[in-house]
Every structure is written in C-alpha cells, then in structure tokens.
Amino acid sequence: MYSLQEGEQQLWLQGDYIKFIPTLEASIQANPTELVNYWYLGLAYLLQGEEETAQLIWLSAAAEQESEDSNDILSSLVQVLNIESDRLSSIKQYAKAWAIRHHIREFAPQDLTNLLKLIDLSIKLEEFTEISLKEFGIIELLQSGTAAADSDLIMSTFNQVLEHPAAETLSFAEACLPYFSSQAEWVEKIIDAAAIYASERKLVLFAIALIKLCLKYAPENITALGYLPKFYTDCHAYAEAVESAKDFYRRSNTPKELFFANCILFRVLSHQGDWNEIPMAGIKMKKIIEDLIQDQSTQLSLSQIRYLIVITGIFLYLEDNIAENRRIQNEVSKLFAKNIETNSADLIKPPTVNLGSKTRRLKIGYVASTLRNHSVGWLSRWLFQYHDREAFEIYIYLVHQRPNNHFFDTWFANQVDQVRILTSDIAESVKTIRDDELDILIDLDSVTLDQTCTIMAFKPAPIQATWLGYDATGLPTIDYFIADPYVLADDAQAYYQEKIWRLPSTYIAVTGFELDVPTLRRSDLNISEDAVIYWSSQVGLKRNPHIVRLQMKILREVPNSYFLLKGLGDESILNSFFLKIADEEGVSPDRLHFLPKAENEYIHRANLQIADVVLDTYPYNGATTTLETLWAGIPLVTRVGQQFSARNSYAFMMNVGVTEGIAWTDEEYVEWGTRLGQDETLRQQVSWKLKQSRHTSPLWNAKQFTHEMENAYREMWAIHIAK
C-alpha cells in the first residue's frame, strides 16, 4: 500500500473508513506534501458515498502543487485509484470498484484500459446496456487506433460484450477487429457467438446480424455462408433462406463444399414447403448419399456428416418406403459412427456400469432440445410428472436450451433430481453425462438434432434408447427404439438396427390438453352453420402433393364444405400450391381458407373446435395434432402406411377404439373423408366414442403409461446386467 503507515494500511484493508480518516488526517497534518495521503483520504470519503467531499479533497490537493506538472499529479491520482479498483474487484466488491473507475474516467476520459474495465464491472453488476458503450465513447476510441490497452483485456471485454445482443454490440465487435492477431481469429469468434445465439438463446435475428458482419470482412467464409440460410429458416424468413442457400451453392467449389451446399438447400426447401422443388432436390440428395454409402468415405468433417444425419429424416415426408428409408438412415448412421471412430477415438470408451445394490434407484437420463413449448415438450411432460421418484433417479440434459422459461419451470424443473445444461462442446457434454453414471439414457430428439445424435454416438450410458422425437436414428450405439403394437408393423424389426421395444398398448399417453377461449368463428369466415368444415394444421413439408390431391377430391365430393388450413412454411408458396391443385381438381378457391398462426397452443386447440372433420397428412401423419384432434372429439381421416411416421394416427385411433376414418388405400381415404363429411350422424357417433374414450383409453391414462415405461426400464436393466 503506497506510502501508508502500517496501522493505516490495516484500517484501509479492513474497510474501517471511520477510524481510517482521522488517522490519515493526522498523517497529512504531520506531512502535508505527501500527495498519496490526499488520494487515499478522498478515496475513503468516496467509498462512504461522499463523492463531492472526495472530489474537493483531490482537486484542492492538486491545486496546491503549483510547482509540479498537473499531468504528473493526475497520473499519480489515477494510479492510486486504479490500484484500489483492481483490489476491490479481486475481492468481488464490484460496486465500489465501479464507482472508483467512474471517477478515473473523469480525470482520464481517453484511458482505454479504464473504459474496458468499466464495461467489465458493468457486466458483473448486471447493469450493462448498449447505452454504456455509447456513453463511454469506447467504440470511437477503439476505431481511432490511438489508445493503448492490454490485448488480453480487449479480448476478454470483447467476449463479454458479445454476449449482450444490441446494435452497439455489433459496432463494438467491429471496432475490436484491428486488435486481434488475425482477421480469421475474429471471424471465428463472431461465428461461434452467432451459433450460440441461434441455437441456445433463440435470438436468431441477432445471429443473422453477426453472420452478416462476418461476411462483410470474409465474404467467402464457408461456415458463415452455411449458417445464414439455416438462421433465416429458423426465423421463417423463407425467401431469404432460399436465396442465401442458392448463393452458397453458387460459391461452392470443392466436393465437400458442394455436398454441404446441397444439404443446406434441401433442408431450406423442405422447411419452406416448396413442393415444386422438393422432389427433385430429394432425388439429388439421395444420389449424393448413395454415393457416400458406396464410397464409405470418412473424409467429410464431423460437422458435415452431423448435418447429413439430420437431412435423411426429410425422406420420410417424400415417400412411405420403410425398407428404403430405413436402409438409408441406418447406412448414414453407420457412416457417422465410423467417422467418429476415425476422428474422435479419444472420446470413445465403455460407459461406467454401476451395479450397486439391488434396491437402489435406477438412474434415468433424458437428453433433449425440446423440453419447452414444443410437441415433444407437450407430450413428454406427463411422464416426468408421474415418474416414481422413489424408484428412479431422473436427470434431464438440455441441449440448445436454458431452463429459464415458463414452460420448462412449470412442467419439468421440479419433477427431476438434476438438470444439466449441455454446451455445444461435445466432449464436455459426453463427460457430463458419463460422470453422472446413468443406467439408461433416453434420446428425445432422434434425428431432428445433430448434436444430440453425436452425443448418443459416443455411448455415454450403458443402455440407450430413442423415444418420441422422431423415427429411430439407426446409430449402432442405440440399443432400443420404443414403440407399441400399432405404430410399427409386425415385420418392422427387419428394417431397424435398434431392437424395437414395444410397450403393451401405446408408446405415448397424455392426461389431456388445456384450452383457451376460441378466437375463430364461422361468421368470421362467412361459413354457414350447415356447412361442413374440414381442417388441417401441419407444416408445409407434410403437404405432400399426393395427399393434398386426395383432400381436394374429398372437397369436390362434399359440395357444401370448406377446408381450413394453417401451418408453418412460406405462406405465399403454400397458398399457391393448394390453390393450383384445387383448380386442377375442380374445387373453387373460395372454399379454402388459410388461417394465420394462433397466438398460442391453447387458442389453437380452442379454434380447432370449429372443425367437423380433420384430414390427416401422409406419408407423414400428425402426432401432437392428431392427439389434440382425438381429445377434442373430432373425427379424423388418416392414411396408414408402413413407416413409423405413416402410422402415428392409426396407432392413436386404435388405442381410443375408433376405426372409422382409418384408410389403408388412397381410395379409402377419399371414401372416409367423403362419408364423414356427408353423414352428420356418423360424425356424432365417432365424436361420442372419442369423448367416452377419455375414461377408458390407455392413450389418456398417462399414469398407467408411465408405469409401463418404468417397467420397460427395469426389464432393459435386467437384460443388461444378465449379459
């Protein structure tokens, strides 16, 4: 402690300013020329909240030193203030440290180091806003290139500011570029931040802004170019997504780049729902995949092949061909596993098996990105609510998600023993799961998320299963695919790498669905009370032209009927698509009503009550939408196929005891749709059956379902330890 006596230092470090002040005043009286004493005296008053007194002491002391250079005097004061602010920061007294640095700024407004530390303290105090950047003038100072600061401090502040989305954050990030050792390093950090904003924080628009900033300086950066269409898709800016995907394709030169570009374009077109381009893009993508399977190449990077494993799921929407679709999925997953063995062998090791006592609780983990306001979240919540916590120790591993949303807190947070947040670092995520020494790990994402697939590929638990999210992944490290007697045909095992584990009655059950007040009425649509309303609420990718044509045939056979349509996709393209097929089938366009997205799920379900008949999609059925329909007591027409995605609605209808509306051929689909539209008595009978099923069906008995799932876990574990 500069120039303070031992007793004074002790009082100062203790923060005993009341005793310190008179002690120091006595020292000043004895030695009035020692400036450091004045600096600490002013600091003592400042840290007690007496700012005006502190400033008066400092300025008076400086003014009395007429023979000395004023710059040297201020430099001496700033040095003391810096030392004390750093000391207080080190013991986490951030508010006091910030107050001191605020005063340093008054004496040295161009001190970049002080300004950067002010930003750091503002963030620690959770008081940082983009106004701070403007107020401090730090961006202009960085841009001038005249101020000096420690490069590590600049990097640290850069990383912290980048976590706060604002327009000024972008300007600050850009101003920091000259202080990086290379432009490539700066670009990489911006891209990493964009990926986190899009995936974990769901702030996709800011992620797009970051990527555009990267492309301003690195217009050919493949990673940035590849992210842009994905981010546009995630925020439903489909036109921009397609254009950026095609731009990426045009810029691609090497085989790896072209492969990646085709994957991205296929994904974007599928989300857009442009059925004018989807089939040809699918054929091209399938040819690329077949070539890779034949080549058995591991030359692709892990990130590229991770993308591929998700792309294969799109084929389920194009064709109901279980043999072909499962073969492709299994082969791609095998190639994926081979790539991991080649490039990440250090992460592959047998999972820990904790036999423990026979009476100990089994440790069950669920890994997912969807335990939120999402179909998987809505359906799985009942399992977590009814789990036997005395018999099972439950873990949740959140991917691309933070547990600070109302849906998660309401349904999941208090129903489990541990919640873990998995970062984008695969090695760290695998270690986190392994350290928990699970018995069984359940994948809820399936092939919808590459990161979850990658985690499962490293086998962090001795038993692994896929449930609910999608069809099976085909990964060699997955032991079971959880199904029921209906959702897969009796001979389906021949097409699966995983063992199909069939629950006794249904592979999912819910206690019901909450509703709000409807906002949609027939009068709003100019539809009379005696008209028949058909309904379909699905994403654009499920609008396979073949099933849409069948739906139009139904409308043609039921003249006094209307079709209400809603769902994600490019609205203008989907509307034109429906109207074109309607025109070709002789259905007037005024019988089709395209509805906007409801404010929330509760209102969506309330508005569903307006429907007389719901027309399901094929070859990818509804799942949550089907359950909502059956719970509401509304007749459903579904076309049954062979693959998992083409049998969801069939499985649910069998579990509620309703066969009216189950079609095994295209002709039966049109017949059931027509009959249910024309026969009001039949509709009423089906509705009565559905409402009665609430009291008897296993589909609505989530407690029983949870018990059956838990029995399955016990049996899986018994098989494992008997090996």
Side-chain angles (χ1 to χ4, degrees):
M1 192 73 65
Y2 290 96
S3 298
L4 292 180
Q5 301 298 318
E6 184 177 345
E8 295 167 346
Q9 288 186 31
Q10 189 69 21
L11 291 171
W12 181 260
L13 293 174
Q14 291 173 354
D16 192 347
Y17 305 124
I18 294 176
K19 291 182 180 178
F20 174 83
I21 289 173
T23 302
L24 193 59
E25 285 175 339
S27 295
I28 290 173
Q29 190 172 6
N31 187 5
T33 62
E34 182 60 60
L35 279 175
V36 172
N37 289 336
Y38 293 97
W39 304 155
Y40 276 101
L41 182 62
L43 257 176
Y45 280 104
L46 174 65
L47 295 175
Q48 290 187 112
E50 299 182 44
E51 293 187 31
E52 292 184 4
T53 303
Q55 289 177 328
L56 180 61
I57 291 170
W58 290 332
L59 294 175
S60 298
E64 290 177 5
Q65 308 301 314
E66 297 178 357
S67 61
E68 296 189 29
D69 189 303
S70 60
N71 289 331
D72 290 341
I73 294 171
L74 284 178
S75 176
S76 170
L77 171 59
V78 168
Q79 184 180 19
V80 169
L81 296 181
N82 264 311
I83 291 170
E84 182 58 20
S85 181
D86 285 342
R87 186 187 73 82
L88 290 170
S89 291
S90 70
I91 59 176
K92 299 184 178 181
Q93 294 191 25
Y94 301 129
K96 290 180 178 179
W98 187 93
I100 293 172
R101 294 213 167 275
H102 181 70
H103 283 277
I104 293 176
R105 180 169 161 259
E106 292 186 11
F107 299 122
Q110 302 295 303
D111 185 337
L112 181 57
T113 296
N114 181 61
L115 295 175
L116 291 170
K117 290 185 176 181
L118 261 176
I119 294 296
D120 173 70
L121 290 166
S122 298
I123 292 171
K124 285 183 169 67
L125 290 166
E126 298 183 355
E127 294 178 356
F128 174 78
T129 67
E130 63 176 315
I131 297 174
S132 304
L133 294 172
K134 292 179 182 178
E135 180 185 341
F136 297 162
I138 193 169
I139 294 172
E140 293 79 3
L141 196 57
L142 286 166
Q143 290 171 336
S144 71
T146 59
D150 179 75
S151 60
D152 289 341
L153 178 59
I154 292 178
M155 295 303 102
S156 172
T157 311
F158 171 86
N159 291 332
Q160 291 186 81
V161 171
L162 212 54
E163 294 183 4
H164 295 77
E168 290 298 315
T169 299
L170 298 172
S171 300
F172 176 80
E174 189 171 13
C176 287
L177 174 56
Y179 298 86
F180 275 75
S181 59
S182 69
Q183 180 177 292
E185 181 190 3
W186 178 83
V187 167
E188 183 180 351
K189 285 186 175 292
I190 298 288
I191 291 175
D192 288 346
I196 291 172
Y197 270 110
S199 60
E200 297 180 17
R201 300 180 65 177
K202 310 304 178 188
L203 297 172
V204 185
L205 291 177
F206 191 70
I208 290 171
L210 286 169
I211 292 297
K212 286 183 174 180
L213 178 61
C214 279
L215 293 174
K216 177 179 176 181
Y217 294 94
E220 301 299 322
N221 185 281
I222 290 298
T223 306
L225 288 168
Y227 269 135
L228 199 56
K230 179 184 184 303
F231 294 166
Y232 275 130
T233 300
D234 290 345
C235 65
H236 309 152
Y238 298 109
E240 293 87 346
V242 171
E243 180 53 40
S244 58
K246 290 181 175 179
D247 177 59
F248 179 43
Y249 185 86
R250 288 190 293 267
R251 292 171 183 262
S252 300
N253 297 306
T254 68
K256 285 185 181 181
E257 290 173 2
L258 286 167
F259 162 78
F260 198 31
N262 273 293
C263 287
I264 289 171
L265 183 57
F266 185 42
R267 178 185 185 274
V268 168
L269 290 171
S270 67
H271 281 270
Q272 183 189 36
D274 188 352
W275 281 96
N276 292 316
E277 297 197 50
I278 288 173
M280 287 305 299
I283 292 171
K284 189 173 184 179
M285 194 71 244
K286 190 172 287 190
K287 173 66 167 61
I288 292 170
I289 292 173
E290 291 288 8
D291 289 345
L292 283 170
I293 292 172
Q294 291 300 317
D295 184 39
Q296 283 296 297
S297 172
T298 57
Q299 298 306 306
L300 295 172
S301 69
L302 182 58
S303 62
Q304 288 174 323
I305 204 162
R306 278 174 61 179
Y307 206 91
L308 179 60
I309 201 171
V310 177
I311 288 294
T312 52
I314 299 175
F315 294 133
L316 300 176
Y317 297 85
L318 307 186
E319 183 183 15
D320 176 30
N321 188 335
I322 188 171
E324 182 72 359
N325 288 338
R326 287 308 314 166
R327 179 186 67 81
I328 291 173
Q329 184 67 59
N330 292 339
E331 289 294 336
V332 166
S333 294
K334 192 187 301 180
L335 184 61
F336 179 64
K338 182 180 178 182
N339 181 284
I340 286 178
E341 289 174 8
T342 302
N343 298 298
S344 306
D346 56 319
L347 274 178
I348 299 174
K349 62 179 182 179
T352 302
V353 179
N354 178 17
L355 295 178
S357 68
K358 292 184 178 180
T359 58
R360 75 171 178 85
R361 293 194 296 168
L362 280 179
K363 297 174 77 170
I364 312 296
Y366 296 88
V367 57
S369 65
T370 47
L371 298 182
R372 51 186 168 83
N373 190 359
H374 180 281
S375 289
V376 171
W378 285 111
L379 302 185
S380 68
R381 56 188 172 141
W382 304 108
L383 175 67
F384 289 91
Q385 181 163 323
Y386 293 126
H387 252 316
D388 182 351
R389 299 285 295 283
E390 293 184 2
F392 296 90
E393 189 174 345
I394 308 300
Y395 290 70
I396 282 178
Y397 301 93
L398 296 179
V399 183
H400 291 181
Q401 183 184 339
R402 301 182 180 189
N404 57 349
N405 63 79
H406 175 72
F407 190 93
F408 184 88
D409 291 343
T410 299
W411 292 102
F412 299 99
N414 297 319
Q415 310 297 334
V416 300
D417 294 275
Q418 297 289 342
V419 177
R420 312 286 194 211
I421 312 300
L422 301 185
T423 69
S424 55
D425 186 322
I426 295 296
E428 182 181 312
S429 297
V430 171
K431 183 180 184 304
T432 296
I433 299 173
R434 279 187 177 145
D435 287 349
D436 285 332
E437 297 186 347
L438 298 176
D439 299 315
I440 302 173
L441 179 62
I442 307 297
D443 166 23
L444 297 180
D445 288 338
S446 185
V447 293
T448 63
L449 189 66
D450 58 344
Q451 183 172 333
T452 308
C453 287
T454 309
I455 290 169
M456 300 298 286
F458 284 106
K459 192 77 171 179
I463 303 171
Q464 299 192 154
T466 298
W467 172 62
L468 192 60
Y470 216 64
D471 205 342
T473 63
L475 284 169
T477 54
I478 306 290
D479 302 288
Y480 301 106
F481 178 51
I482 297 173
D484 63 33
Y486 308 106
V487 78
L488 286 174
D490 293 341
D491 63 349
Q493 184 62 68
Y495 308 113
Y496 281 82
Q497 182 280 137
E498 304 90 338
K499 178 177 176 55
I500 298 172
W501 191 289
R502 296 184 191 265
L503 297 176
S505 51
T506 176
Y507 79 93
I508 183 61
V510 299
T511 296
F513 294 98
E514 304 86 348
L515 281 74
D516 204 330
V517 177
T519 60
L520 186 66
R521 293 171 176 79
R522 287 178 177 244
S523 57
D524 299 331
L525 305 171
N526 293 319
I527 295 177
S528 62
E529 291 298 324
D530 62 340
V532 174
I533 291 181
Y534 291 100
W535 174 284
S536 179
S537 175
Q538 299 292 352
V539 297
L541 186 54
K542 289 188 179 182
R543 309 295 192 177
N544 191 294
H546 180 76
I547 198 68
V548 172
R549 196 167 296 279
L550 298 182
Q551 291 168 345
M552 293 306 143
K553 291 181 185 297
I554 293 171
L555 257 70
R556 189 179 61 202
E557 293 298 317
V558 185
N560 188 26
S561 64
Y562 295 84
F563 199 11
L564 274 53
L565 296 144
K566 57 182 284 193
L568 291 177
D570 189 310
E571 188 175 314
S572 61
I573 287 177
L574 285 171
N575 293 3
S576 299
F577 162 74
F578 270 101
L579 292 171
K580 180 177 181 294
I581 296 179
D583 180 64
E584 292 170 354
E585 293 296 328
V587 175
S588 174
D590 61 7
R591 296 173 61 191
L592 274 59
H593 291 268
F594 301 100
L595 305 178
K597 189 174 187 239
E599 184 178 339
N600 55 53
E601 281 76 11
Y602 308 109
I603 293 176
H604 154 72
R605 296 179 198 131
N607 288 341
L608 173 62
Q609 309 287 324
I610 198 174
D612 294 301
V613 182
V614 171
L615 299 178
D616 198 12
T617 47
Y618 171 87
Y620 205 112
N621 294 169
T624 305
T625 52
T626 293
L627 290 168
E628 290 169 338
T629 297
L630 301 179
W631 178 257
I634 301 171
L636 176 82
V637 180
T638 188
R639 168 73 164 86
V640 188
Q642 291 301 307
Q643 63 190 14
F644 178 85
S645 62
R647 297 173 67 90
N648 265 305
S649 296
Y650 162 68
F652 299 154
M653 290 178 72
M654 292 299 290
N655 267 292
V656 294
V658 172
T659 57
E660 296 89 342
I662 295 176
W664 294 91
T665 65
D666 292 349
E667 293 74 20
E668 286 185 10
Y669 185 88
V670 175
E671 288 171 6
W672 273 118
T674 302
R675 187 178 168 191
L676 284 165
Q678 293 175 340
D679 191 337
E680 183 178 359
T681 301
L682 177 61
R683 293 199 302 272
Q684 291 173 347
Q685 290 171 349
V686 172
S687 181
W688 183 85
K689 281 187 180 181
L690 290 172
K691 289 175 180 176
Q692 287 298 113
S693 77
R694 292 186 180 185
H695 307 289
T696 58
S697 172
L699 198 62
W700 314 127
N701 192 339
K703 284 185 179 180
Q704 175 184 313
F705 165 75
T706 302
H707 180 68
E708 291 170 357
M709 280 284 278
E710 291 174 341
N711 282 341
Y713 294 157
R714 291 186 181 97
E715 291 177 37
M716 290 176 188
W717 180 246
I719 292 170
H720 180 74
I721 61 175
K723 289 180 180 178

